[in-house]
Amino acid sequence: MVGVLVLAGGFVVVAADDLDGSSNISLLDSSAAPKAGVRIHETVPLAGLEKQLLDAHNAERTEAGLETLETDATLVDLARQRAQDMVTTDYFSHAAPNGDTVVTLLKREGYEYKIAAENIARNNRPNDQAVGAAMSGFLDSDSHREKVLNERYDHVGVGTVTDNGMNYFVVIFTGD
């Protein structure tokens, strides 16, 4: 987790928790302070299929000479909710039966962005093959591949749910 506090006198305190449970605190001058309208992205570590899918995305981006995607806690929460909703509500689409799309979810959350997109996949492969199959599907489709390799995207949320042997993958991309 990352927290930012702007103090009187033009100083900024940045606190961050590392994966090993330790915390780091930095004191910066006001030139490092977030500007009005700039979103502070809280990162979140991933595990299992979610981490594998993020790593696969970033490997493709690195190979293409692009910056890697950083996780965003809000996007991860939305991606996980979206994957679970597909299982619970029994659909597989960019539009939920109630009409929700990634754009309506981001708007409802109050999430600010300039560009956003979503990739979804599902398969019934074993866990050791599931991410590879999902990535192959993304990369074999021009519209999905464009999202994976779009240099304007810098943050991502990855959510996965497995239900009765079916793996659901949701990837939400945003850029500022």
Side-chain angles (χ1 to χ4, degrees):
M1 253 189 217
V2 176
V4 177
L5 175 65
V6 180
L7 302 174
F11 290 96
V12 177
V13 177
V14 178
D17 294 331
D18 289 337
L19 293 177
D20 66 1
S22 63
S23 295
N24 292 307
I25 298 178
S26 302
L27 182 65
L28 308 170
D29 66 37
S30 61
S31 65
K35 309 295 184 237
V38 174
R39 177 173 184 78
I40 301 299
H41 296 275
E42 181 182 330
T43 61
V44 60
L46 301 177
L49 294 177
E50 292 174 344
K51 181 173 182 347
Q52 290 175 38
L53 191 57
L54 174 64
D55 290 348
H57 276 74
N58 282 335
E60 290 295 329
R61 291 175 65 87
T62 298
E63 186 176 312
L66 300 172
E67 295 290 323
T68 58
L69 297 165
E70 292 185 29
T71 59
D72 177 280
T74 300
L75 298 178
V76 169
D77 286 344
L78 287 175
R80 288 172 176 166
Q81 290 171 25
R82 190 109 159 110
Q84 184 60 56
D85 187 54
M86 287 184 194
V87 169
T88 303
T89 314
D90 192 29
Y91 72 96
F92 180 71
S93 174
H94 291 288
N98 68 0
D100 280 347
T101 66
V102 68
V103 172
T104 59
L105 294 173
L106 290 167
K107 183 176 181 180
R108 187 177 303 132
E109 190 67 31
Y111 191 95
E112 295 182 23
Y113 62 93
K114 290 185 181 173
I115 179 175
E118 172 185 66
N119 277 346
I120 60 175
R122 71 177 174 180
N123 64 55
N124 60 357
R125 301 285 180 85
N127 280 357
D128 64 339
Q129 300 171 15
V131 168
M135 278 305 292
S136 291
F138 292 153
L139 297 174
D140 289 344
S141 160
D142 289 342
S143 64
H144 291 87
R145 181 181 183 81
E146 187 277 328
K147 293 170 195 165
V148 172
L149 298 177
N150 188 323
E151 66 184 9
R152 292 185 61 199
Y153 295 128
D154 52 12
H155 288 89
V156 68
V158 179
T160 64
V161 172
T162 301
D163 182 62
N164 291 322
M166 183 64 73
N167 304 297
Y168 292 79
F169 301 91
V170 176
V171 184
I172 299 173
F173 304 90
T174 63
D176 295 323

